[in-house]
Amino acid sequence: MGIPANLQGRVAVYEAPGRPFEIRLFPVRPPRCNEVLVKVRMSTICRSDIHSYLGHRPNPCPGLLGHEIIGTIVELGEDIRADMRGEPLALGDRITWSEYFVPPGGSYIGDVLDLPQKSPGVDKYGHMAVTVEPHHHGGFGDYCYVLPQSWILRLPADLSDEEATPVNCGVATMVCVTERAEIGIGDTVVVQGLGLLGLYGAALAKGRGARLVIGLDPVPARRDLARRFGVDQVMNPSLADPSDLVRSVRALCGPDGADAVIEVCGDAAVVPSGLQMLRTGGRYVLGGVVNPDAFVRLDANLILRKLVTLRGVHNYHPRHLVQALDFVHANRTRFPFGELVDGKYALADVGTAMRDAAERRVLRAAIVP
Ligand SMILES: [Zn+2]
């Protein structure tokens, strides 16, 4: 066994934000004892990849993007025997893994506060300069090393690549968002933004027992699709005056407004109207404003007076990765998750894929190397 000597793999690299992608070759070495070498099967373009590529958030260059990845095991480090559930791992298995890995040695934030996703020195796949060894640490390439202190899950055989690839970012993040929104049986939930996160969020809200999910998005095709992901009522927030929109939503969420409102549109300007949609004691969770300088003017007195709980979610705990995979697997006939990956591109066409994704011509563009 083992990989051939002098093996090389392709990587799609950009020199600086907005510059064209170039395919470059980097050596592929055997994995170290606590690494796994995978052949990338599919990598989907997340909104944060687009922010990085356009220079809206800092990312080291020459850059290698892609963190929503699944792959087939080519070689296992000798210390890796099983996934995070204890399921044995073997060559040829399809796996997903956490989008981030924590530095060894533990930390106060990671271990005492139980927020490993915010451990000092945490790093993410598709977030490092390609010059950093072992070079293959993002989705837009032939190979990827699953690095030490990542959480790995073997994928069920009946789950398609399209269903499985967004699990380790989009779905796991929304498991965390809907958990923090404390959505329970009979709740009314408003989802601001019906992109990929919003659609998973609506499905998860229904899975958690919500009686009514209201989806807000200016794009008609997204509002139509949303009905298939558990959204009961859709509204176009760009047509209505904000106060009319608040009134319409509140009228559906009797007697006092929505139990929970989730922001996944990436636009901080929606926060004030979202807060007004809430009932007394309601929960507001921010999940989409991942870029810095998302300033907004709001009446803090409203938060105080209505006893609102305001929370932010960025990334997720490892338990959310397990729940994300199990939710998608268990509900794959109830919600058409596979249809969300609606564009497939070769590695050489990553620039086109990025443009289509940025211009929202596709919901989730997939790179299939
Ligand atoms: Zn992501």
Side-chain angles (χ1 to χ4, degrees), residues 45-49 67-68 99 124 127 168-170 173 315 364:
I45 298 180
C46 174
R47 183 98 344 226
S48 65
D49 289 315
H67 56 274
E68 279 187 353
E99 63 182 343
K124 292 168 80 174
H127 284 67
N168 79 331
C169 178
T173 299
N315 304 328
R364 215 49 152 193

